[in-house]
Amino acid sequence: MATSEFGDGTRCVRGGHPEPVGGTPLLPGPVFAAPFHLGEDFQGGDFYGRAGNPTWRALESAIGDLDGGHCILLPSGMAAISLLLRAVLRNGDALILPGDGYYATRQFVRDELAELELNIREIATPGPWHDEVFAGVRLVLLETPSNPGLDVCDIAGLAGRAHAAGALLAVDNTTATPLGQRPLELGADIVVSSDTKALAGHSDVLLGHVSVRDAELAQRLVRARTLSGSIPGPFETWLAHRSMGTLDLRLARQAENAAALVASLRDHPAVSGLRWPGDPGDPSHDLARRQMRRWGGVFRFELADAAAVDEFVRRSRLVVAATSFGGLHSTVDRRAQWGDPVPEGFVRFSAGCEDPADLVADVHQALG
């Protein structure tokens, strides 16, 4: 069902659903199949589960409508990143990576793509973006807002500069979500996302996707997915599609909670380095406001050290330690333990869907 003419909530609820037919479910259940019947009159429909599944196509239609492109579903965010990089890059290509973005992306490029002998240029999200870094580049990968620092860069401006240099520009949109930011509308060629986070949003599914503007590139990525076998499970796909129906509602509550917490922590003596793009006082706010459609629930701050973070989690009744974000539950993740180049007391806070007053009170008592 096409939903592009509707608002965010309607698109989330109705996206990818079939036209209503009496006696059928509103959202069909997952299709479990390895082979499909061919029959004497087979004309090119589904034939094998690695090549296609109607459950994938339903969610791809819904996400593609939100992103504004052709969506290819993958079994995780890293599967999406790795499929994209392997499909686009060739031996000796130059690649720009976010030096302050998700650590596993840089690790994958260094460890798993070493045989390509890539010219890797790591640039922090806010720059500086000097003209010479674009020379001879095949792909520019941005992450904005960055994970975990929550810095922001100018998607439209960098897309223009990348295209002038003959490069493709991709944006990891995991932190923003397709409701918070639509990079393809800002000039990006590619969007990649871990749908494990806010889109599925219940901390129970691994999933990812790539969306592209170019139909030929979409076909290349589908072929690469089929040949590599990097395919999502139908049940996980169905769970994510079911959960996407509440993305608009969940994102609104998470942003409300983030705003309340950021305002209440701004002058707290135990807290430093507080950053959230939705805060009018944040260094990235003006740029974020120009290219983001709405805010999310992820912000960051620093406590004195790792022990202070452990004590905060121990004292809290509502916040748990977990290395993900975008779920129903409020979580903190001390990022230094995973290898991010941040202070030991740096935490990425993912505001969940609890009552704002309860969450603010709990965080303050946990901070002592």
Side-chain angles (χ1 to χ4, degrees):
M1 175 181 290
T3 62
S4 298
E5 69 271 26
F6 296 119
D8 285 349
T10 304
R11 297 167 83 180
C12 287
V13 170
R14 301 300 295 271
H17 287 231
E19 295 295 334
V21 176
T24 61
L26 275 67
L27 176 63
V31 174
F32 299 105
F36 293 80
H37 284 293
L38 298 180
E40 296 180 359
D41 58 348
F42 176 71
Q43 297 294 323
D46 287 317
F47 64 95
Y48 189 60
R50 179 164 48 81
N53 184 294
T55 310
W56 302 350
R57 291 193 294 274
L59 182 54
E60 286 173 336
S61 173
I63 297 174
D65 178 53
L66 293 178
D67 277 339
H70 307 277
C71 174
I72 300 93
L73 206 62
L74 282 303
S76 70
M78 281 306 300
I81 286 281
S82 61
L83 183 89
L84 170 65
L85 296 178
R86 288 193 182 279
V88 170
L89 297 173
R90 297 293 179 265
N91 191 71
D93 278 348
L95 166 68
I96 294 179
L97 288 177
D100 55 345
Y102 184 46
Y103 75 95
T105 299
R106 297 191 301 276
Q107 186 176 348
F108 174 81
V109 170
R110 287 194 302 265
D111 296 351
E112 301 302 319
L113 299 183
E115 72 278 5
L116 294 182
E117 298 182 337
L118 299 171
N119 179 352
I120 301 167
R121 305 168 188 176
E122 294 189 9
I123 308 294
T125 296
W129 291 92
H130 299 303
D131 289 341
E132 56 267 24
V133 304
F134 293 95
V137 166
R138 171 62 177 157
L139 177 67
V140 178
L141 177 60
L142 309 178
E143 187 176 286
T144 179
S146 62
N147 172 23
L150 299 180
D151 270 310
V152 173
C153 59
D154 182 354
I155 295 174
L158 292 173
R161 295 171 70 183
H163 294 157
L168 294 171
L169 185 125
V171 177
D172 185 330
N173 204 40
T174 302
T175 308
T177 83
L179 296 190
Q181 186 170 263
R182 293 185 180 149
L184 298 183
E185 294 179 358
L186 297 168
D189 304 287
I190 302 157
V191 167
V192 63
S193 175
S194 170
D195 302 323
T196 305
K197 310 302 191 293
L199 192 139
H202 288 71
S203 305
D204 54 8
V205 169
L206 290 173
L207 210 67
H209 80 269
V210 181
S211 286
V212 299
R213 291 191 294 174
D214 182 68
E216 183 179 351
L217 178 55
Q219 292 173 358
R220 284 171 53 198
L221 292 171
V222 169
R223 182 174 183 271
R225 177 181 68 181
T226 301
L227 294 176
S228 69
S230 186
I231 60 172
F235 187 59
E236 288 80 3
T237 300
W238 180 84
L239 281 174
H241 197 170
R242 177 212 60 177
S243 300
M244 197 187 96
T246 60
L247 175 59
D248 176 57
L249 300 174
R250 289 184 280 106
L251 200 64
R253 171 54 71 87
Q254 289 164 349
E256 178 186 4
N257 279 340
L261 286 164
V262 168
S264 72
L265 294 175
R266 189 174 291 116
D267 298 320
H268 197 288
V271 172
S272 63
L274 184 65
R275 294 288 306 274
W276 182 54
D279 180 6
D282 189 273
S284 294
H285 178 74
D286 288 343
L287 174 57
R289 183 169 49 83
R290 292 197 297 271
Q291 67 186 17
M292 294 183 70
R293 303 172 66 249
R294 57 196 289 182
W295 312 118
V298 182
F299 63 99
R300 51 156 279 199
F301 60 87
E302 295 172 29
L303 299 181
D305 50 30
V309 177
D310 291 342
E311 178 65 9
F312 169 70
V313 173
R314 188 190 68 79
R315 290 172 58 93
S316 174
R317 297 174 60 194
L318 299 180
V319 182
V320 297
T323 183
S324 191
F325 58 88
L328 298 175
H329 305 86
S330 288
T331 62
V332 294
D333 191 8
R334 193 177 67 79
R335 294 304 302 171
Q337 67 186 309
W338 307 114
D340 279 327
V342 294
E344 288 296 318
F346 180 108
V347 296
R348 182 184 65 202
F349 194 110
S350 177
C353 293
E354 300 88 354
D355 286 307
D358 293 340
L359 193 54
V360 170
D362 179 72
V363 167
H364 276 265
Q365 69 80 24
L367 288 170

